[in-house]
């Protein structure tokens, strides 16, 4: 198959982290824009990106980009694309997408036009007028921004943050891809001693272990494009085998997780076991007031915060406690994500660096203490 243009959306604020990952797996001609990284590669890179990228939300193939001021423009632009290279006669091809600041603002209408154009193109190629769509799923995505349309095929299927290890979660889990980005910014290495005193469902513990042990985050799940006739199943097997062989089982990494809620501590232990890293963590039920990390460790956490007045006051008191028990210096760096604009004041120390991130729809900052 020819050289493909791949596009990976990511959390705002993690573009540089994802760019580094893409470069590491062999992406070519990498370009970065807000919330996404684009690059080029062959079929093997589609599988490698899905398996190995820790901060990407999904891996899309960009089929084309064109101006779309009218439904005719959209129809003709979509119809020109080489759908028959990817979609077989029996395959399903649902359509979804979004439009922003464009004349074509009705999403249902855009979906219908795109679907009609693909059917028209494939009908002409296969000599049929109706498609059963009982085969493998090829999700078509579109983006129309300021009258410029981009058309994609989604190779991932379920979002890449679904690693397969977190069947259950607590009330406020941090997304796996965001956690992986923070772990990367915290410079977790193969010999890191890691701490999360608010471990919740264990996401930071697991993502840190995966980073330290070089475990591909997608190794326990499947992807939509694995079932596509246009891709070689042998390439997917080879890339998965390479990822398994690259795991560093001898890494000296070890993590300590704790949570004041016994159910959360138990959930972390359960999810760590599902992720295959239970022997690399120690999880206890403990109050952060009793937290005492060793020199040389790294602390990464997502402390609770309140949306109501009483909860907010409790969160602020908690930040003050954290400021007393976290070394938050070069001997024991700390990376704390919080939406509270005055976090530093309650923590009692200005961060050495801050980075804007979004946890879901909540605007947060990563407060980094490493000097």
């Amino acid at each position: 198959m020819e050289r493909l243009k791949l596009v990976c959306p990511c959390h705002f604020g993690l573009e540089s982290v994802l760019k580094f990952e893409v470069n590491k797996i062999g992406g070519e001609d990498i370009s970065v824009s807000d919330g996404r990284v684009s690059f080029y590669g062959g079929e093997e890179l589609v599988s490698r990106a899905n398996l190995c990228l820790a901060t990407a939300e999904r891996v899309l193939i960009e089929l084309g980009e064109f101006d779309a001021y009218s439904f005719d423009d959209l129809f003709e632009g979509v119809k020109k694309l080489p759908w028959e290279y990817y979609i077989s006669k029996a395959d399903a091809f649902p359509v979804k997408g979004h439009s922003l600041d464009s004349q074509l603002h009705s999403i249902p209408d855009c979906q219908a036009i795109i679907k009609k154009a693909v059917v028209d193109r494939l009908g002409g190629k296969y000599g049929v007028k109706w498609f059963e769509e009982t085969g493998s799923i090829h999700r078509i995505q579109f983006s129309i921004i300021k009258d410029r349309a981009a058309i994609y095929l989604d190779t991932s299927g379920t979002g890449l943050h679904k690693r397969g290890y977190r069947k259950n979660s607590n009330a406020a889990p941090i997304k796996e891809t965001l956690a992986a980005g923070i772990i990367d910014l915290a410079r977790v290495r193969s010999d890191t001693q890691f701490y999360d005193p608010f471990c919740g469902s264990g996401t930071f513990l697991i993502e840190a272990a995966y980073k330290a042990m070089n475990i591909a985050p997608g190794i326990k799940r499947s992807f939509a494009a694995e079932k596509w006739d246009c891709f070689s199943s042998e390439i997917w097997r080879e890339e998965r085998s390479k990822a398994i062989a690259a795991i560093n089982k001898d890494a000296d990494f070890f993590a300590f997780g704790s949570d004041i809620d016994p159910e959360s501590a138990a959930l972390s232990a359960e999810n760590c076991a599902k992720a295959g890293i239970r022997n690399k963590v120690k999880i206890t039920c403990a109050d952060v007031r009793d937290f005492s990390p060793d020199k040389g460790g790294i602390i990464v956490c997502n402390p609770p915060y309140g949306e109501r007045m009483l909860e907010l006051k409790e969160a602020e008191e908690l930040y003050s406690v954290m400021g007393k028990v976290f070394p938050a210096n070069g001997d024991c760096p700390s990376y704390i994500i919080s939406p509270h604009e005055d976090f530093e004041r309650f923590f009692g120390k200005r961060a050495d660096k801050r980075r804007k991130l979004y946890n879901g729809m909540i605007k947060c900052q990563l407060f980094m203490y490493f000097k």
Side-chain angles (χ1 to χ4, degrees), residues 59-343:
V59 181
L60 309 173
I61 299 173
E62 184 177 301
L63 296 187
E65 193 176 9
F66 51 87
D67 291 330
Y69 299 100
S70 67
F71 287 127
D72 284 342
D73 292 339
L74 184 62
F75 181 89
E76 293 301 330
V78 171
K79 188 178 177 181
K80 288 178 182 177
L81 301 177
W83 297 104
E84 65 277 6
Y85 290 178
Y86 303 93
I87 301 175
S88 300
K89 187 160 53 173
D91 292 338
F93 44 101
V95 181
K96 64 180 293 186
H98 63 274
S99 177
L100 182 66
D101 297 332
S102 298
Q103 295 183 50
L104 302 181
H105 52 80
S106 169
I107 301 304
D109 286 342
C110 290
Q111 288 174 301
I113 291 295
I114 291 170
K115 184 79 172 185
K116 184 180 178 181
V118 178
V119 167
D120 205 44
R121 168 89 182 200
L122 293 178
K125 295 293 180 179
Y126 295 135
V128 297
K129 294 183 178 180
W130 184 77
F131 292 85
E132 294 182 358
E133 298 195 53
T134 56
S136 60
I137 298 173
H138 295 58
R139 290 182 176 85
I140 299 169
Q141 287 200 13
F142 67 90
S143 169
I144 306 175
I145 300 176
K146 295 182 178 178
D147 300 313
R148 185 74 177 170
I151 310 296
Y152 309 97
L153 275 176
D154 175 13
T155 71
S156 301
T158 303
L160 294 182
H161 70 283
K162 297 284 189 180
R163 316 291 206 209
Y165 64 71
R166 196 170 75 178
K167 303 293 184 183
N168 302 304
S169 62
N170 58 0
I174 190 166
K175 204 171 182 182
E176 294 89 335
T177 43
L178 176 58
I182 293 172
I183 292 300
D184 195 90
L185 293 168
R187 302 192 177 188
V188 169
R189 299 291 185 261
S190 63
D191 59 351
T192 292
Q193 187 161 291
F194 184 86
Y195 296 89
D196 180 1
F198 304 98
C199 61
S201 55
T203 307
F204 275 134
L205 302 175
I206 296 167
E207 293 298 328
Y210 275 21
K211 171 74 174 178
M213 299 174 68
N214 198 37
I215 298 175
I219 212 165
K220 289 181 175 288
R221 54 159 289 176
S222 60
F223 308 94
E226 284 188 86
K227 298 178 181 178
W228 293 2
D229 292 339
C230 61
F231 286 153
S232 165
S233 57
E234 182 60 30
I235 287 179
W236 283 90
R237 282 194 292 269
E238 287 177 4
E239 290 297 330
R240 198 176 289 274
S241 295
K242 288 177 184 177
I244 293 171
I247 296 173
N248 179 10
K249 296 178 181 178
D250 298 324
D252 291 330
F253 170 90
F254 200 83
F256 297 86
S258 57
D259 202 291
I260 195 170
D261 175 26
E263 290 186 5
S264 291
L267 182 58
S268 284
E270 180 185 343
N271 286 338
C272 286
K274 288 175 182 173
I277 54 96
R278 188 67 183 90
N279 65 328
K280 288 292 185 179
V281 300
K282 180 180 180 180
I283 299 170
T284 58
C285 182
D287 193 317
V288 71
R289 290 172 174 80
D290 302 319
F291 181 60
S292 181
D294 291 338
K295 183 178 179 180
I298 294 176
I299 302 167
V300 178
C301 64
N302 176 30
Y305 55 90
E307 296 180 359
R308 294 187 291 270
M309 189 62 70
L310 182 61
E311 292 174 340
L312 184 60
K313 181 174 174 57
E314 290 173 348
E316 291 168 351
E317 291 172 355
L318 185 62
Y319 300 154
S320 179
V321 171
M322 290 165 57
K324 293 180 174 68
V325 298
F326 284 26
N329 55 30
D331 290 333
C332 190
S334 299
Y335 298 80
I336 306 155
I337 185 170
S338 173
H340 200 304
E341 293 183 1
D342 290 327
F343 170 84

